Amino acid sequence: MIHFILLFSRQGKLRLQKWYTTLPDKEKKKIIREIVQIILSRNQKTSSFVDWKDLKLVYKRYASLYFCCAIEDQDNELLTLEVVHRYVELLDRYFGNVCELDIIFNFEKAYFILDEFIIGGEVQETSKRSAVKAIEDSDMLQETVEEYMNKPAF
Amino acid sequence: MPAPIRLRELIRTIRTARTQAEEREMIQKECAAIRSSFREEDNTYRCRNVAKLLYMHMLGYPAHFGQLECLKLIASQKFTDKRIGYLGAMLLLDERQDVHLLMTNCIKNDLNHSTQYVQGLALCTLGCMGSSEMCRDLAGEVEKLLKTSNSYLRKKAALCAVHVIRKVPELMEMFLPATKNLLNEKNHGVLHTSVVLLTEMCERSPDMLAHFRKLVPQLVRILKNLIMSGYSPEHDVSGISDPFLQVRILRLLRILGRNDDDSSEAMNDILAQVATNTETSKNVGNAILYETVLTIMDIKSESGLRVLAINILGRFLLNNDKNIRYVALTSLLKTVQTDHNAVQRHRSTIVDCLKDLDVSIKRRAMELSFALVNGNNVRGMMKELLYFLDSCEPEFKADCASGIFLAAEKYAPSKRWHIDTIMRVLTTAGSYVRDDAVPNLIQLITNSVEMHAYTVQRLYKAILGDYSQQPLVQVASWCIGEYGDLLVSGQCEEEEPIQVTEDEVLDILESVLISNMSASVTRGYALTAIMKLSTRFTCTVNRIKKVVSIYGSSIDVELQQRAVEYNALFKKYDHMRPALLERMPVMEKVTTNGPTEIVQTNGETEPAVLETKPPPSGLQPASQANDLLDLLGGSDITPVIPTAPTSKPASAGGELLDLLGDLNLTGSPVSAPAPQIAQPPFLLDGLSSQPLFNDIAAGIPSITAYNKNGLKIDFTFERSNTNPSVTVITIQASNSTELDMTDFVFQAAVPKTFQLQLLSPSSSVIPAFNSGTITQVIKVLNPQKQQLRMRIKLTYNHKGSAMQDLAEVNNFPPQSWQ
């Protein structure tokens, strides 16, 4: 299973963090700092895989964003690269030519899309069309401002 | 109060901050506003505020005061609220906060909601961060949803079930019925998550594994359809249909086929098909091939298939893509034990990978190279590996050096080559060699008798230029100390002998002693080497004496002790010096303890122990104990095997050899291990761990247990008030004859209700004329407070003949056992 997913910029600013295991906040911060440093210091000539503690880090850079997944020993690294790529494709489909700014200003949508693709560290949907459709339908369910104001909460 | 600013507005504002301090100020201001808004229980803007809080949390600021607000959002009727609420719960809450349990009821309700997207939110949240308590409470709901016909929910329920099983493995059983027709689904999402669920169950329970083996044909069919089916736009990735599902099926097949002939047979064809038909131009095809190779190697596949798999890996090695080379090396490392010959064919490619720029690839190539070294290729491989040692990063050097030593020891084609290789490692990576390698090397050198002159000459030349690499200097010092005479006499056969004078040799050793770069241990080696040369050199003995005496006042305690003892050798024990400093004998070879490896043989695992243990030396005392058994009549006596006096190293010199014993020859191969006593553990624990005589029972009279032929043995007793079932007997053996008694061994046996432990005696010689005694301690455990009886057997040498006697001791004073 995937233990966590991190998205961060070339300057090391975190854009998204999804954890599928329980860790204290302090620990998470430490891990993020460590991993960002490891990945940012790797050059172009190296592979996309890093052995880190008892996990494997799989990372790929898309434009100005690094996508990093931590997987277990028995997971397929090459397939994880495909998983990352699929997530980027979903973002692209939803936002239309996605760029880092889209993810900054619509971070909650980025999370929603991720949650339609991966649950509990495992892929739930392998069809691009279905995943994006689910998000768009959910968006439809969201109330308009008027509806929101008028609907009682409880 | 004005409406709180919108999320995007806040993000824009924060991004304009030019410094960290400015950003912090903005955040604090906004947090204050949010906090007061929360206090006012504002339903309208709660969602907006929590969203902003989540953004600030991502920037690294504390957001715990929003936790309860997330719960309120989850409980809200509005979908917008729920969406943000669940997101907040997943980001801010986890099982370590008690607050999270409050979610359980909301989730339960939402799992039964009329809108599938709400149910989806609940399933997702439970599946990502549900605690064990939540899982226990809600497992039933998840199980229900696993059986629904709605594929959108079914796939999420499956992964939620996976999470529940991971958190609470005992609940696995309850999901079994629902798995019945999971694989009959057409929907890929459900299929994929079902395979994940089945995989998880099979990995955790051998019963489940056996149960699900019957699914192999169905899985094979599904996989076949994926490969054979035409283009499906929905699931296509670069011309391959649903690679995610293909890989997961391959992984499940691997688990099902392991150790099972029938299942492996059933999947042979499809594996061959996938292996040959998958397009390899893109990463996605290689991902599938990679998984296929792993599966082929792990199940009981036929040899043709295995060769196919290794060849795929070989092709991977030649791929330009680093990632592919990386996984190839990783897989080859896993298979090199079982399919050694097949992997050997790719040896040259693997060796080329040593020159790769990627650190992880280099490491794997190095490990694989060591695994591939054998008698035939050792020369070529060592050349490459030595070159690698020269140029690799420091983090590799220690492992590489150790690996080279091991391989050289196993496969060295000649002694000269072996020594040369060792020399090369010591000079190239001398400071990275592990400490325990030094004694091993010294032993190796001792054993190559005909190479001594060559070795010492090369080592001398090596440290002449540079004596900063400690392991190298240590080995060199030792060798010079041992074979310095060969060095100055110019006896080398293998290469041109060099002209070295005794003074020059002492110069270099003294430099090592003085140098600030030398570690304390190294200095010890150097000093001892200088001392040894006093018997091998002829003209410079006075110089040596001077050096040794200077260090008698060294601040370093170790050096000081050595120097003082060596000084004493010169002064009082000069007659012993030649014998003491004699050439070391060839040391008994201790088989290197290779790591115990788990060998993968076609799917089965067998531990392969690579070292042979020395035969237990406790056999001999056992036969003696049997004699005592006979004597005390019957089988209700426990024989006691005494500890032999710790035998001294066999080299010349007796106790003084301890001086030279600190060569860090751990587990000194020369001394025989003391035979083990088979003792019930509690006796040892009870007796040896406590300081026994904190409260000694008032004086128990001692007895004379034996008195014959000039040998007298007295028993003195001690008992502890806190532990009255233990009696400690100290025996004292004295000799009133005119000649010493040597090789004295005391043995004892007691009735079965007692337990006995004999500790080591003080020595094995009883001097004549009562001028000294042997003492030995016996501990007796007498829980039933029965009358103490003992049979003793004495053996010793006296007046040139071997003596033996048996006796019974019955005169134990009542205070010693009551």
Side-chain angles (χ1 to χ4, degrees):
Chain A
M1 73 180 251
I2 299 175
H3 277 231
F4 54 83
I5 301 178
L6 302 174
L7 263 68
F8 51 91
S9 70
R10 295 246 286 271
Q11 287 76 40
K13 291 209 102 162
L14 196 65
R15 298 297 178 208
L16 187 145
Q17 54 172 325
K18 186 79 188 181
W19 299 81
Y20 296 106
T21 55
T22 313
L23 287 166
D25 239 359
K26 246 189 172 160
E27 187 71 34
K28 286 184 192 169
K29 287 210 171 108
K30 192 161 148 250
I31 290 176
I32 294 172
R33 253 198 320 268
E34 204 180 311
I35 289 182
V36 167
Q37 202 209 8
I38 291 174
I39 292 182
L40 287 180
S41 63
R42 282 172 68 91
N43 64 40
Q44 295 283 42
K45 302 262 168 57
T46 53
S47 65
S48 302
F49 312 128
V50 181
D51 291 318
W52 181 79
K53 297 203 180 159
D54 59 335
L55 298 171
K56 300 190 276 200
L57 299 176
V58 178
Y59 71 94
K60 192 144 188 224
R61 186 168 77 80
Y62 288 85
S64 56
L65 267 184
Y66 281 91
F67 288 69
C68 175
C69 283
I71 54 174
E72 289 176 342
D73 200 43
Q74 67 265 36
D75 292 327
N76 186 326
E77 296 97 316
L78 298 179
L79 191 74
T80 311
L81 279 174
E82 292 300 318
V83 169
V84 169
H85 190 73
R86 173 58 65 91
Y87 180 49
V88 175
E89 284 182 325
L90 291 175
L91 289 169
D92 196 56
R93 236 194 216 202
Y94 180 80
F95 286 109
N97 275 333
V98 68
C99 63
E100 191 183 345
L101 275 179
D102 289 321
I103 300 185
I104 295 171
F105 278 94
N106 301 287
F107 71 94
E108 83 275 15
K109 299 268 169 55
Y111 276 107
F112 296 151
I113 293 172
L114 184 59
D115 286 339
E116 280 300 324
F117 180 42
I118 296 177
I119 286 184
E122 306 281 359
V123 168
Q124 75 179 272
E125 181 55 68
T126 57
S127 156
K128 269 184 275 197
R129 197 183 58 84
S130 304
V132 178
K133 181 162 187 306
I135 301 286
E136 287 171 349
D137 287 352
S138 300
D139 285 347
M140 287 290 148
L141 263 189
Q142 279 199 212
E143 296 84 0
T144 63
V145 178
E146 263 176 49
E147 286 173 346
Y148 190 86
M149 293 301 178
N150 294 328
K151 202 170 173 184
F154 302 110
Chain B
M1 192 178 157
I5 66 170
R6 310 172 99 96
L7 170 64
R8 324 260 175 250
E9 198 60 53
L10 177 68
I11 297 178
R12 206 167 293 130
T13 316
I14 293 180
R15 281 170 64 79
T16 61
R18 272 161 303 175
T19 65
Q20 185 74 353
E22 217 179 308
E23 181 184 279
R24 210 176 5 248
E25 210 182 299
M26 291 181 190
I27 302 256
Q28 272 170 0
K29 202 167 123 212
E30 186 57 36
C31 274
I34 293 178
R35 256 195 264 247
S36 33
S37 182
F38 283 163
R39 265 198 298 273
E40 287 166 19
E41 296 285 339
D42 188 327
N43 289 334
T44 329
Y45 295 113
R46 182 177 290 118
C47 180
R48 185 185 288 182
N49 285 329
V50 169
K52 287 187 286 186
L53 201 55
L54 293 180
Y55 178 72
M56 296 190 282
H57 176 252
M58 184 147 65
L59 292 179
Y61 296 92
H64 45 272
F65 56 92
Q67 285 168 2
L68 265 175
E69 304 301 314
C70 292
L71 294 178
K72 294 180 194 164
L73 283 175
I74 292 174
S76 160
Q77 297 253 25
K78 306 183 208 175
F79 184 70
T80 316
D81 283 355
K82 282 191 190 285
R83 242 184 162 186
I84 296 290
Y86 277 117
L87 179 61
M90 284 192 274
L91 288 176
L92 300 181
L93 285 172
D94 59 48
E95 57 196 62
R96 288 157 49 258
Q97 283 106 14
D98 294 328
V99 174
H100 85 278
L101 285 169
L102 296 173
M103 260 201 296
T104 315
N105 217 25
C106 282
I107 294 187
K108 190 166 192 180
N109 291 335
D110 283 342
L111 283 175
N112 293 309
H113 203 275
S114 48
T115 314
Q116 70 173 15
Y117 294 109
V118 173
Q119 290 173 293
L121 284 176
L123 280 169
C124 177
T125 308
L126 184 59
C128 286
M129 50 80 72
S131 65
S132 339
E133 296 95 335
M134 284 168 74
C135 287
R136 256 185 255 269
D137 286 339
L138 299 168
E141 304 294 328
V142 175
E143 199 259 342
K144 237 173 32 198
L145 286 170
L146 194 51
K147 298 191 277 215
T148 176
S149 54
N150 180 334
S151 46
Y152 177 77
L153 293 176
R154 211 170 180 203
K155 71 187 187 202
K156 290 182 195 272
L159 288 184
C160 204
V162 170
H163 179 82
V164 168
I165 292 174
R166 283 180 182 153
K167 280 290 188 193
V168 192
E170 306 90 69
L171 291 175
M172 183 161 46
E173 297 286 324
M174 81 184 276
F175 294 108
L176 188 54
T179 62
K180 227 175 181 169
N181 30 27
L182 273 179
L183 290 184
N184 296 337
E185 267 274 358
K186 289 278 182 281
N187 180 295
H188 280 224
V190 179
L191 267 179
H192 185 276
T193 57
S194 304
V195 173
V196 173
L197 177 57
L198 292 170
T199 309
E200 188 70 30
M201 291 169 107
C202 290
E203 276 177 341
R204 282 179 185 268
S205 156
D207 292 332
M208 293 284 184
L209 178 59
H211 172 80
F212 285 125
R213 276 225 174 87
K214 60 178 193 269
L215 292 176
V216 170
Q218 199 174 4
L219 288 165
V220 169
R221 236 185 353 260
I222 297 173
L223 190 52
K224 197 164 195 157
N225 284 335
L226 283 172
I227 302 171
M228 306 299 269
S229 68
Y231 177 74
S232 152
E234 207 176 323
H235 301 110
D236 180 87
V237 180
S238 304
I240 296 183
S241 191
D242 208 338
F244 304 103
L245 183 56
Q246 287 195 34
V247 167
R248 283 319 300 229
I249 292 181
L250 284 165
R251 188 160 150 185
L252 181 55
L253 285 176
R254 176 155 83 243
I255 294 169
L256 294 174
R258 212 179 258 154
N259 290 333
D260 188 86
D261 287 317
D262 294 326
S263 305
S264 303
E265 171 86 39
M267 47 180 95
N268 250 316
D269 285 341
I270 190 68
L271 289 173
Q273 206 177 352
V274 176
T276 41
N277 287 344
T278 309
E279 184 64 47
T280 60
S281 54
K282 292 264 175 77
N283 179 65
V284 57
N286 290 320
I288 295 178
L289 276 180
Y290 177 39
E291 197 73 30
T292 313
V293 165
L294 289 178
T295 302
I296 293 175
M297 302 314 287
D298 224 8
I299 63 171
K300 288 178 165 291
S301 47
E302 50 182 47
S303 59
L305 203 51
R306 295 180 83 83
V307 172
L308 180 59
I310 303 266
N311 287 343
I312 291 177
L313 290 178
R315 272 206 313 276
F316 273 6
L317 276 181
L318 297 167
N319 198 308
N320 281 331
D321 188 337
K322 286 196 170 305
N323 297 332
I324 312 269
R325 289 212 295 282
Y326 179 99
V327 303
L329 287 171
T330 311
S331 318
L332 284 171
L333 206 48
K334 288 191 202 144
T335 63
V336 71
Q337 302 298 336
T338 43
D339 297 83
H340 192 91
N341 292 330
V343 181
Q344 278 283 1
R345 266 181 242 133
H346 304 280
R347 197 180 67 241
S348 48
T349 328
I350 293 170
V351 168
D352 280 337
C353 288
L354 284 172
K355 306 191 181 81
D356 201 296
L357 291 162
D358 183 314
V359 164
S360 318
I361 290 185
K362 269 203 269 214
R363 174 165 286 281
R364 279 163 174 72
M366 178 182 84
E367 286 171 18
L368 205 45
S369 301
F370 281 124
L372 288 176
V373 176
N374 63 25
N376 294 328
N377 59 33
V378 65
R379 280 188 196 265
M381 288 295 276
M382 275 302 140
K383 212 156 73 186
E384 295 287 343
L385 287 164
L386 283 168
Y387 180 74
F388 174 69
L389 182 65
D390 229 339
S391 51
C392 70
E393 284 84 352
E395 64 214 60
F396 289 128
K397 290 205 198 239
D399 289 330
C400 191
S402 304
I404 292 179
F405 285 145
L406 262 171
E409 204 173 315
K410 276 201 260 188
Y411 301 113
S414 74
K415 289 225 159 106
R416 160 97 190 245
W417 181 93
H418 197 172
I419 303 277
D420 280 340
T421 308
I422 293 176
M423 287 295 311
R424 178 85 183 270
V425 174
L426 284 176
T427 45
T428 348
S431 34
Y432 296 98
V433 168
R434 296 221 168 84
D435 292 334
D436 57 359
V438 171
N440 287 337
L441 293 176
I442 289 177
Q443 182 197 64
L444 267 162
I445 292 171
T446 346
N447 290 347
S448 333
V449 178
E450 64 278 11
M451 304 294 303
H452 285 168
Y454 172 70
T455 312
V456 68
Q457 179 163 300
R458 285 212 58 192
L459 282 168
Y460 174 76
K461 285 201 280 194
I463 63 169
L464 208 46
D466 164 29
Y467 43 86
S468 61
Q469 301 190 88
Q470 300 305 296
L472 171 61
V473 175
Q474 287 168 12
V475 176
S477 308
W478 191 92
C479 283
I480 294 175
E482 272 297 299
Y483 312 121
D485 49 327
L486 300 175
L487 187 56
V488 293
S489 62
Q491 277 180 30
C492 184
E493 286 172 358
E494 301 280 342
E495 64 175 22
E496 187 69 36
I498 55 175
Q499 306 293 343
V500 181
T501 66
E502 295 183 3
D503 276 304
E504 283 169 338
V505 174
L506 287 174
D507 281 341
I508 189 74
L509 285 174
E510 274 191 64
S511 317
V512 170
L513 259 180
I514 299 171
S515 165
N516 284 328
M517 291 186 285
S518 298
S520 183
V521 172
T522 315
R523 287 208 180 92
Y525 272 91
L527 187 61
T528 306
I530 292 177
M531 185 59 192
K532 284 199 237 176
L533 289 173
S534 70
T535 53
R536 291 155 177 71
F537 283 178
T538 46
C539 349
T540 45
V541 182
N542 283 331
R543 179 174 172 181
I544 294 176
K545 272 194 201 168
K546 216 163 69 177
V547 172
V548 165
S549 68
I550 291 174
Y551 280 88
S553 43
S554 161
I555 302 177
D556 185 323
V557 176
E558 177 67 32
L559 280 183
Q560 191 189 102
Q561 179 178 358
R562 289 184 191 215
V564 164
E565 289 177 358
Y566 295 159
N567 250 331
L569 257 189
F570 272 123
K571 298 212 168 69
K572 290 204 303 187
Y573 300 100
D574 206 42
H575 57 284
M576 291 182 73
R577 193 163 47 88
L580 195 58
L581 302 175
E582 219 172 52
R583 185 87 92 222
M584 280 285 188
V586 170
M587 296 181 211
E588 211 175 273
K589 185 140 173 74
V590 176
T591 41
T592 39
N593 284 343
T596 3
E597 287 164 1
I598 305 294
V599 175
Q600 287 250 308
T601 337
N602 225 359
E604 282 161 9
T605 47
E606 315 156 353
V609 177
L610 293 181
E611 21 101 13
T612 48
K613 297 200 180 50
S617 42
L619 292 176
Q620 211 230 344
S623 53
Q624 291 170 331
N626 283 334
D627 297 338
L628 281 177
L629 257 183
D630 295 339
L631 298 165
L632 282 168
S635 50
D636 55 345
I637 311 292
T638 41
V640 175
I641 302 161
T643 45
T646 39
S647 40
K648 306 204 169 53
S651 309
E655 294 100 52
L656 281 177
L657 201 68
D658 284 339
L659 282 179
L660 299 168
D662 51 356
L663 286 178
N664 300 331
L665 290 172
T666 44
S668 176
V670 187
S671 61
Q676 291 303 312
I677 315 171
Q679 285 290 330
F682 77 89
L683 189 64
L684 291 170
D685 291 345
L687 300 186
S688 52
S689 49
Q690 313 159 322
L692 250 191
F693 303 108
N694 291 329
D695 44 346
I696 303 169
I700 307 168
S702 45
I703 58 166
T704 300
Y706 179 90
N707 195 348
K708 224 160 96 173
N709 298 332
L711 175 62
K712 184 157 91 103
I713 299 183
D714 293 318
F715 283 10
T716 44
F717 302 95
E718 275 165 298
R719 282 174 83 182
S720 164
N721 277 330
T722 48
N723 198 355
S725 29
V726 171
T727 308
V728 179
I729 307 174
T730 310
I731 70 158
Q732 287 206 313
S734 55
N735 171 9
S736 57
T737 69
E738 331 87 14
L739 277 175
D740 294 347
M741 295 172 180
T742 57
D743 298 314
F744 179 80
V745 175
F746 175 91
Q747 287 171 280
V750 285
K752 199 172 186 190
T753 50
F754 298 81
Q755 273 165 359
L756 207 66
Q757 181 191 3
L758 257 75
L759 304 183
S760 311
S762 56
S763 85
S764 61
V765 174
I766 319 180
F769 299 116
N770 289 326
S771 51
T773 60
I774 290 180
T775 46
Q776 190 166 8
V777 174
I778 309 172
K779 291 181 185 165
V780 181
L781 188 69
N782 180 11
Q784 295 175 26
K785 301 238 170 76
Q786 297 205 349
Q787 177 171 23
L788 200 48
R789 293 193 297 135
M790 194 185 280
R791 262 285 156 139
I792 59 175
K793 180 172 171 183
L794 310 160
T795 50
Y796 54 96
N797 287 335
H798 191 230
K799 295 181 181 162
S801 49
M803 309 280 290
Q804 185 180 301
D805 201 4
L806 291 162
E808 233 185 85
V809 185
N810 285 323
N811 51 337
F812 288 101
Q815 300 97 313
S816 65
W817 49 267
Q818 262 174 357

